[in-house]
Amino acid sequence: MRLRYALFSIILFTCCSNEPEAATDTKGDLHILFVGNSLTYTNDLPVLIKELGLRDGMTITYSSLLFPNYSLEDHWNEGKVQKELQKGIYDMVIAQQGPSALPESQALLLDYTIRLANVCRQYKCKLALYMVWPSADRSFDLDNVILSYTNAATATQSLLCPAGLAWKNAWNADSTVPLYSADDFHPSMTGSVLAAITIYVALLDKSSLDFVHHPEMSWKNEVSEENLVILKQASLKALGK
């Protein structure tokens, strides 16, 4: 079942190719396959995560299967994820679909997370679920998004990357932090940086983000230093740090 989002049809980036992005090195410290849709390819989230790794002395290489409007069901039915995992080169799969707040969407997220987790185990890699967020007009669904992804991760013993919870924490600290882009669904650069930091903290089990120095980051002109302080605290709190 395809997830329908307003404005997805006009948000097409070159990273949404029909084939995985070639990794530059398969011998890095961490080799990741990203599986998802525009909530991952907007602002090139994999690159943001790789940059965090470089600042932390960690080499991250990756490939991507990211397409507009795709759910995990779409990815599963297409079969490219399974074929890519057969290469046996990945340490981690980071997967997401839409908010998945409604009961039927929660059921689909769980169903295809179970299938994907089983394939990951077969090829000896770890599955991580990238928790997202609802559109602004459905902000009341944020707690259900958090519940949906948490339940799916718990049921499959997958790693939870609770970006949606980190967004909630950031807004609780300062409701003016600009996490949405202009369409009120996709992330701004601030929102993507928060997601990237949260994912990185989860992947590496970090207890500190002292290695993230605002003047050194590629996005320093798009995310304020004041907001970065909030993002760091929000991500660590989301992971109980």
Side-chain angles (χ1 to χ4, degrees), residues 172-189:
N172 284 341
D174 183 347
S175 62
T176 68
V177 176
L179 300 180
Y180 285 121
S181 64
D183 70 2
D184 282 335
F185 180 59
H186 290 88
S188 65
M189 181 57 78

PDB file of all heavy atoms in Angstrom, residues 172-189:
ATOM      1  N   ASN A 172       9.431  20.586  22.819  1.00  0.00           N
ATOM      2  CA  ASN A 172       9.142  20.815  24.236  1.00  0.00           C
ATOM      3  C   ASN A 172      10.123  21.808  24.843  1.00  0.00           C
ATOM      4  O   ASN A 172       9.766  22.575  25.747  1.00  0.00           O
ATOM      5  CB  ASN A 172       9.192  19.492  25.009  1.00  0.00           C
ATOM      6  CG  ASN A 172       7.966  18.630  24.771  1.00  0.00           C
ATOM      7  OD1 ASN A 172       6.929  19.113  24.327  1.00  0.00           O
ATOM      8  ND2 ASN A 172       8.068  17.339  25.062  1.00  0.00           N
ATOM      9  N   ALA A 173      11.360  21.784  24.341  1.00  0.00           N
ATOM     10  CA  ALA A 173      12.367  22.729  24.828  1.00  0.00           C
ATOM     11  C   ALA A 173      12.165  24.113  24.248  1.00  0.00           C
ATOM     12  O   ALA A 173      12.357  25.127  24.929  1.00  0.00           O
ATOM     13  CB  ALA A 173      13.767  22.218  24.488  1.00  0.00           C
ATOM     14  N   ASP A 174      11.766  24.158  22.955  1.00  0.00           N
ATOM     15  CA  ASP A 174      11.560  25.444  22.275  1.00  0.00           C
ATOM     16  C   ASP A 174      10.649  25.201  21.082  1.00  0.00           C
ATOM     17  O   ASP A 174      11.074  24.613  20.076  1.00  0.00           O
ATOM     18  CB  ASP A 174      12.890  26.039  21.813  1.00  0.00           C
ATOM     19  CG  ASP A 174      12.742  27.410  21.169  1.00  0.00           C
ATOM     20  OD1 ASP A 174      11.605  27.816  20.857  1.00  0.00           O
ATOM     21  OD2 ASP A 174      13.774  28.072  20.948  1.00  0.00           O
ATOM     22  N   SER A 175       9.415  25.634  21.184  1.00  0.00           N
ATOM     23  CA  SER A 175       8.426  25.355  20.145  1.00  0.00           C
ATOM     24  C   SER A 175       8.722  26.063  18.833  1.00  0.00           C
ATOM     25  O   SER A 175       8.071  25.785  17.817  1.00  0.00           O
ATOM     26  CB  SER A 175       7.026  25.761  20.631  1.00  0.00           C
ATOM     27  OG  SER A 175       6.973  27.158  20.898  1.00  0.00           O
ATOM     28  N   THR A 176       9.686  26.972  18.815  1.00  0.00           N
ATOM     29  CA  THR A 176      10.001  27.705  17.594  1.00  0.00           C
ATOM     30  C   THR A 176      11.120  27.061  16.774  1.00  0.00           C
ATOM     31  O   THR A 176      11.455  27.560  15.696  1.00  0.00           O
ATOM     32  CB  THR A 176      10.412  29.159  17.908  1.00  0.00           C
ATOM     33  OG1 THR A 176      11.670  29.173  18.604  1.00  0.00           O
ATOM     34  CG2 THR A 176       9.361  29.846  18.769  1.00  0.00           C
ATOM     35  N   VAL A 177      11.688  25.971  17.253  1.00  0.00           N
ATOM     36  CA  VAL A 177      12.748  25.313  16.488  1.00  0.00           C
ATOM     37  C   VAL A 177      12.162  24.851  15.151  1.00  0.00           C
ATOM     38  O   VAL A 177      11.179  24.103  15.117  1.00  0.00           O
ATOM     39  CB  VAL A 177      13.326  24.099  17.256  1.00  0.00           C
ATOM     40  CG1 VAL A 177      14.350  23.369  16.395  1.00  0.00           C
ATOM     41  CG2 VAL A 177      13.963  24.559  18.556  1.00  0.00           C
ATOM     42  N   PRO A 178      12.740  25.289  14.023  1.00  0.00           N
ATOM     43  CA  PRO A 178      12.133  25.039  12.697  1.00  0.00           C
ATOM     44  C   PRO A 178      12.488  23.666  12.141  1.00  0.00           C
ATOM     45  O   PRO A 178      13.411  23.517  11.335  1.00  0.00           O
ATOM     46  CB  PRO A 178      12.735  26.152  11.838  1.00  0.00           C
ATOM     47  CG  PRO A 178      14.097  26.372  12.431  1.00  0.00           C
ATOM     48  CD  PRO A 178      13.936  26.149  13.914  1.00  0.00           C
ATOM     49  N   LEU A 179      11.727  22.653  12.516  1.00  0.00           N
ATOM     50  CA  LEU A 179      12.034  21.292  12.094  1.00  0.00           C
ATOM     51  C   LEU A 179      11.406  20.926  10.758  1.00  0.00           C
ATOM     52  O   LEU A 179      11.948  20.084  10.035  1.00  0.00           O
ATOM     53  CB  LEU A 179      11.590  20.302  13.173  1.00  0.00           C
ATOM     54  CG  LEU A 179      12.244  20.486  14.549  1.00  0.00           C
ATOM     55  CD1 LEU A 179      11.726  19.447  15.533  1.00  0.00           C
ATOM     56  CD2 LEU A 179      13.766  20.420  14.446  1.00  0.00           C
ATOM     57  N   TYR A 180      10.277  21.547  10.418  1.00  0.00           N
ATOM     58  CA  TYR A 180       9.634  21.283   9.131  1.00  0.00           C
ATOM     59  C   TYR A 180      10.195  22.191   8.042  1.00  0.00           C
ATOM     60  O   TYR A 180      10.617  23.318   8.305  1.00  0.00           O
ATOM     61  CB  TYR A 180       8.130  21.557   9.215  1.00  0.00           C
ATOM     62  CG  TYR A 180       7.307  20.532   9.946  1.00  0.00           C
ATOM     63  CD1 TYR A 180       6.552  20.901  11.055  1.00  0.00           C
ATOM     64  CD2 TYR A 180       7.235  19.207   9.511  1.00  0.00           C
ATOM     65  CE1 TYR A 180       5.766  19.977  11.727  1.00  0.00           C
ATOM     66  CE2 TYR A 180       6.447  18.282  10.175  1.00  0.00           C
ATOM     67  CZ  TYR A 180       5.711  18.668  11.284  1.00  0.00           C
ATOM     68  OH  TYR A 180       4.930  17.763  11.940  1.00  0.00           O
ATOM     69  N   SER A 181      10.134  21.691   6.803  1.00  0.00           N
ATOM     70  CA  SER A 181      10.383  22.544   5.649  1.00  0.00           C
ATOM     71  C   SER A 181       9.082  23.265   5.293  1.00  0.00           C
ATOM     72  O   SER A 181       8.083  23.162   6.018  1.00  0.00           O
ATOM     73  CB  SER A 181      10.869  21.707   4.463  1.00  0.00           C
ATOM     74  OG  SER A 181       9.858  20.806   4.045  1.00  0.00           O
ATOM     75  N   ALA A 182       9.064  23.941   4.170  1.00  0.00           N
ATOM     76  CA  ALA A 182       7.913  24.775   3.804  1.00  0.00           C
ATOM     77  C   ALA A 182       6.634  23.976   3.597  1.00  0.00           C
ATOM     78  O   ALA A 182       5.531  24.522   3.734  1.00  0.00           O
ATOM     79  CB  ALA A 182       8.236  25.575   2.547  1.00  0.00           C
ATOM     80  N   ASP A 183       6.738  22.679   3.274  1.00  0.00           N
ATOM     81  CA  ASP A 183       5.523  21.892   3.028  1.00  0.00           C
ATOM     82  C   ASP A 183       4.901  21.327   4.300  1.00  0.00           C
ATOM     83  O   ASP A 183       3.895  20.640   4.250  1.00  0.00           O
ATOM     84  CB  ASP A 183       5.794  20.777   2.021  1.00  0.00           C
ATOM     85  CG  ASP A 183       6.677  19.654   2.569  1.00  0.00           C
ATOM     86  OD1 ASP A 183       7.075  19.700   3.749  1.00  0.00           O
ATOM     87  OD2 ASP A 183       6.984  18.724   1.796  1.00  0.00           O
ATOM     88  N   ASP A 184       5.530  21.603   5.463  1.00  0.00           N
ATOM     89  CA  ASP A 184       5.008  21.151   6.760  1.00  0.00           C
ATOM     90  C   ASP A 184       4.921  19.629   6.887  1.00  0.00           C
ATOM     91  O   ASP A 184       4.108  19.101   7.640  1.00  0.00           O
ATOM     92  CB  ASP A 184       3.630  21.763   7.058  1.00  0.00           C
ATOM     93  CG  ASP A 184       3.730  23.210   7.523  1.00  0.00           C
ATOM     94  OD1 ASP A 184       4.785  23.585   8.050  1.00  0.00           O
ATOM     95  OD2 ASP A 184       2.750  23.958   7.342  1.00  0.00           O
ATOM     96  N   PHE A 185       5.783  18.958   6.172  1.00  0.00           N
ATOM     97  CA  PHE A 185       5.912  17.508   6.358  1.00  0.00           C
ATOM     98  C   PHE A 185       7.367  17.074   6.277  1.00  0.00           C
ATOM     99  O   PHE A 185       7.892  16.425   7.183  1.00  0.00           O
ATOM    100  CB  PHE A 185       5.078  16.725   5.344  1.00  0.00           C
ATOM    101  CG  PHE A 185       5.201  15.235   5.525  1.00  0.00           C
ATOM    102  CD1 PHE A 185       4.843  14.636   6.729  1.00  0.00           C
ATOM    103  CD2 PHE A 185       5.695  14.422   4.515  1.00  0.00           C
ATOM    104  CE1 PHE A 185       4.971  13.263   6.928  1.00  0.00           C
ATOM    105  CE2 PHE A 185       5.824  13.053   4.688  1.00  0.00           C
ATOM    106  CZ  PHE A 185       5.464  12.472   5.894  1.00  0.00           C
ATOM    107  N   HIS A 186       8.017  17.403   5.178  1.00  0.00           N
ATOM    108  CA  HIS A 186       9.421  17.040   5.042  1.00  0.00           C
ATOM    109  C   HIS A 186      10.276  17.884   5.989  1.00  0.00           C
ATOM    110  O   HIS A 186       9.887  18.982   6.375  1.00  0.00           O
ATOM    111  CB  HIS A 186       9.874  17.223   3.591  1.00  0.00           C
ATOM    112  CG  HIS A 186       9.265  16.227   2.674  1.00  0.00           C
ATOM    113  ND1 HIS A 186       8.055  16.440   2.056  1.00  0.00           N
ATOM    114  CD2 HIS A 186       9.676  14.994   2.293  1.00  0.00           C
ATOM    115  CE1 HIS A 186       7.745  15.381   1.324  1.00  0.00           C
ATOM    116  NE2 HIS A 186       8.706  14.479   1.461  1.00  0.00           N
ATOM    117  N   PRO A 187      11.440  17.368   6.366  1.00  0.00           N
ATOM    118  CA  PRO A 187      12.261  18.094   7.335  1.00  0.00           C
ATOM    119  C   PRO A 187      13.007  19.268   6.704  1.00  0.00           C
ATOM    120  O   PRO A 187      13.441  19.204   5.544  1.00  0.00           O
ATOM    121  CB  PRO A 187      13.263  17.030   7.809  1.00  0.00           C
ATOM    122  CG  PRO A 187      13.401  16.118   6.626  1.00  0.00           C
ATOM    123  CD  PRO A 187      12.024  16.059   6.010  1.00  0.00           C
ATOM    124  N   SER A 188      13.131  20.328   7.467  1.00  0.00           N
ATOM    125  CA  SER A 188      14.097  21.372   7.139  1.00  0.00           C
ATOM    126  C   SER A 188      15.489  20.794   7.369  1.00  0.00           C
ATOM    127  O   SER A 188      15.642  19.663   7.843  1.00  0.00           O
ATOM    128  CB  SER A 188      13.873  22.579   8.055  1.00  0.00           C
ATOM    129  OG  SER A 188      14.160  22.193   9.402  1.00  0.00           O
ATOM    130  N   MET A 189      16.526  21.578   7.071  1.00  0.00           N
ATOM    131  CA  MET A 189      17.863  21.091   7.392  1.00  0.00           C
ATOM    132  C   MET A 189      17.998  20.883   8.900  1.00  0.00           C
ATOM    133  O   MET A 189      18.620  19.911   9.350  1.00  0.00           O
ATOM    134  CB  MET A 189      18.926  22.070   6.900  1.00  0.00           C
ATOM    135  CG  MET A 189      20.354  21.607   7.185  1.00  0.00           C
ATOM    136  SD  MET A 189      20.757  19.983   6.481  1.00  0.00           S
ATOM    137  CE  MET A 189      21.024  20.455   4.761  1.00  0.00           C
TER     138      MET A 189
END
